[in-house]
Amino acid sequence: MADEEPPESPEQKPEEPEAPTPEETPAEEPPAEEALSEDAATEAEQPEPEPAPDPDTPGSAAEDVAGGDSEEASGSDSEPDPEVALAADAAAEGEESTPESASKEAPADSSKGADLPPGADLEPIAVEPDAKLSTEERARIDAEAEERASREAALVTDGTEEDAAARAPAQMESGSRYVATGKRKRSIARVILTPGEGKIEINQRTLEEYFPRPLHQTMARQPLASAGYEENVDVRVRVHGGGISGQAGAVRHGIARALTEIDPELRGDLKRKGFLTRDARVKERRKAGLKKARKKPQFSKR
């Protein structure tokens, strides 16, 4: 019994170990379970991300436009847009080149084109032969072209040779001038006849140059051939207005009137052939409610 140690009294406490300094104490790592619970809590506290806007909804387009405007507004203050700068440079170059190009394209003298026949500035259209036509169709087209050319050439020789042989041209004094005016549609021709060798000049050009088609050349020569003055007078014409066909008719009318000044006896023959008659046929005016002069709109019963 003597060997038993006495029990400790409650007043005696075990000595507490000294607290280590902050430098000596290592950082205590939380356990893995506590770290996972803290991550789950932070994810629960964060708000959910908003869904992407649908392009089909009207509100999203407006928000995109507003956002783009704000970005452009913010970017315009900071840095200039390279595309805008390039466009401005191109516009400045275009303005500088405009006067030079306009001066090159502008005609040098507008008065030179006044004497040209109508449609002289147009380029001819190149018509390629149709390979699908058969030999019979081509032969028929060629025959029609030859017939048309012979019919136009026959207009001037129809009875004019007999009339010219039966009548001798009147004597004209040297230096005499016979002036007349011819009209057709909107064309006006002022004709001057002088003793000469049969030259015909229209707007300071030859007859063949001003009227390329044989039909118009024939129309202009008809009064001279009918009266027998083709090789006795020179014709100088100034014509303007209308088209190529109207000008040819005006030239014929003016030459026929001038011939009656040379020889009044020619009036009967020229009148009978219609060379002295003012052709009053013109295009009829359009009427209100109609498509053209007489064409009516399509009628629908129902």
Side-chain angles (χ1 to χ4, degrees):
M1 296 296 294
D3 293 337
E4 292 181 1
E5 294 180 358
E8 295 180 356
S9 61
E11 297 179 357
Q12 294 180 359
K13 295 181 181 180
E15 296 180 358
E16 295 180 358
E18 295 180 358
T21 59
E23 296 178 356
E24 296 178 356
T25 57
E28 295 181 0
E29 295 181 358
E33 296 178 359
E34 295 180 2
L36 293 175
S37 62
E38 291 177 2
D39 295 339
T42 53
E43 291 179 359
E45 292 177 0
Q46 292 180 358
E48 296 181 0
E50 296 180 1
D54 191 1
D56 297 336
T57 59
S60 62
E63 292 175 1
D64 294 342
V65 173
D69 295 341
S70 62
E71 292 178 1
E72 292 178 1
S74 62
S76 61
D77 297 339
S78 60
E79 294 181 2
D81 191 357
E83 296 181 359
V84 175
L86 293 175
D89 296 340
E93 293 176 2
E95 291 177 359
E96 294 177 359
S97 62
T98 300
E100 298 177 1
S101 60
S103 61
K104 292 180 181 179
E105 294 177 359
D109 188 3
S110 59
S111 61
K112 293 183 180 179
D115 297 338
L116 295 175
D121 55 339
L122 302 178
E123 297 182 359
I125 300 174
V127 180
E128 299 180 357
D130 193 356
K132 297 180 180 180
L133 294 177
S134 60
T135 55
E136 297 179 357
E137 293 178 350
R138 289 182 180 178
R140 179 179 56 82
I141 293 174
D142 295 342
E144 291 178 355
E146 293 178 359
E147 182 181 357
R148 189 184 307 108
S150 62
R151 184 168 59 251
E152 292 179 357
L155 293 175
V156 72
T157 59
D158 187 9
T160 56
E161 295 181 357
E162 297 178 0
D163 296 342
R167 186 184 304 103
Q171 296 294 331
M172 293 180 291
E173 298 179 1
S174 60
S176 59
R177 297 169 72 252
Y178 303 92
V179 183
T181 301
K183 296 181 181 181
R184 171 75 174 101
K185 292 185 178 179
R186 295 182 179 271
S187 302
I188 300 175
R190 292 174 174 85
V191 181
I192 299 175
L193 298 184
T194 56
E197 300 176 355
K199 296 180 181 179
I200 302 177
E201 183 180 310
I202 301 175
N203 289 352
Q204 300 180 357
R205 289 174 175 80
T206 61
L207 177 65
E208 291 76 11
E209 183 180 357
Y210 195 83
F211 291 137
R213 291 189 60 185
L215 176 61
H216 299 148
Q217 298 175 13
T218 300
M219 290 176 63
R221 290 195 184 99
Q222 277 180 340
L224 297 173
S226 178
Y229 282 82
E230 281 186 304
E231 299 178 356
N232 300 92
V233 295
D234 290 341
V235 183
R236 189 167 70 252
V237 183
R238 187 74 175 177
V239 61
H240 68 277
I244 196 75
S245 179
Q247 288 186 358
V251 170
R252 181 179 67 179
H253 189 216
I255 292 175
R257 282 185 169 183
L259 287 175
T260 57
E261 298 292 335
I262 298 175
D263 188 1
E265 295 182 359
L266 295 174
R267 184 175 182 83
D269 295 339
L270 296 176
K271 184 74 173 178
R272 185 173 59 254
K273 294 181 180 180
F275 299 151
L276 292 177
T277 303
R278 167 70 165 93
D279 194 350
R281 295 176 300 171
V282 295
K283 183 177 180 180
E284 189 174 352
R285 65 174 292 271
R286 176 185 173 276
K287 279 77 174 179
L290 303 183
K291 295 287 187 179
K292 295 193 295 183
R294 299 184 181 182
K295 182 180 180 181
K296 297 181 180 180
Q298 184 178 4
F299 172 74
S300 178
K301 190 172 183 179
R302 293 178 181 84

